[in-house]
Amino acid sequence: QVQLVESGGGLVQAGGSLRLSCAASGTIFSIDVMGWYRQAPGKQRELVALITPNSTPTYVDSVKGRFTISRDNAKNTVYLQMNSLKPEDTAIYYCNLRRPPVFDVWGQGTQVTVSS
């Protein structure tokens, strides 16, 4: 029903930038809470950034000032602009859509690798 498709991951040098995109379908996107999570090998999945329907963002402390989450409701898409990337940002990044208790949907994930 609801589907999320991530794109934009890849390999980048430390200090570089990537922009992740997540396109949603099968939902009223403008009223959904969207988030980006990441999971590094051997570590628990963590929330990276979240954005409310009115575009209020929340970030984990480790990415504040470097990452920016945004949404384009006309395109049913949420973005994560990642600047000043560090090796510790290496992880699989997942897009998440939530509308409790109706929806909790995850994308396939996109790999981000930051080399030193």
Side-chain angles (χ1 to χ4, degrees), residues 100-114:
V102 182
F103 296 123
D104 186 5
V105 183
W106 296 88
Q108 191 86 351
T110 185
Q111 177 71 48
V112 172
T113 303
V114 184

Side-chain angles (χ1 to χ4, degrees), residues 29-52:
F29 181 81
S30 62
I31 65 173
D32 295 326
V33 176
M34 302 299 300
W36 287 98
Y37 291 71
R38 67 186 179 187
Q39 188 165 21
K43 298 183 67 177
Q44 191 171 354
R45 186 175 299 184
E46 68 170 347
L47 174 68
V48 178
L50 179 149
I51 188 164
T52 65

Side-chain angles (χ1 to χ4, degrees), residues 13-105:
Q13 292 280 334
S17 298
L18 287 172
R19 190 193 194 202
L20 306 183
S21 299
C22 173
S25 62
T27 185
I28 307 174
F29 181 81
S30 62
I31 65 173
D32 295 326
V33 176
M34 302 299 300
W36 287 98
Y37 291 71
R38 67 186 179 187
Q39 188 165 21
K43 298 183 67 177
Q44 191 171 354
R45 186 175 299 184
E46 68 170 347
L47 174 68
V48 178
L50 179 149
I51 188 164
T52 65
N54 69 357
S55 294
T56 300
T58 301
Y59 302 96
V60 67
D61 286 345
S62 60
V63 309
K64 288 180 179 177
R66 300 188 298 120
F67 291 10
T68 302
I69 188 171
S70 62
R71 65 193 296 159
D72 186 338
N73 289 341
K75 296 181 178 179
N76 285 7
T77 301
V78 63
Y79 305 94
L80 186 67
Q81 178 67 46
M82 304 185 294
N83 299 325
S84 302
L85 283 162
K86 304 174 180 179
E88 49 263 46
D89 295 319
T90 296
I92 301 174
Y93 284 71
Y94 297 92
C95 183
N96 175 255
L97 179 155
R98 289 181 180 177
R99 192 195 306 165
V102 182
F103 296 123
D104 186 5
V105 183

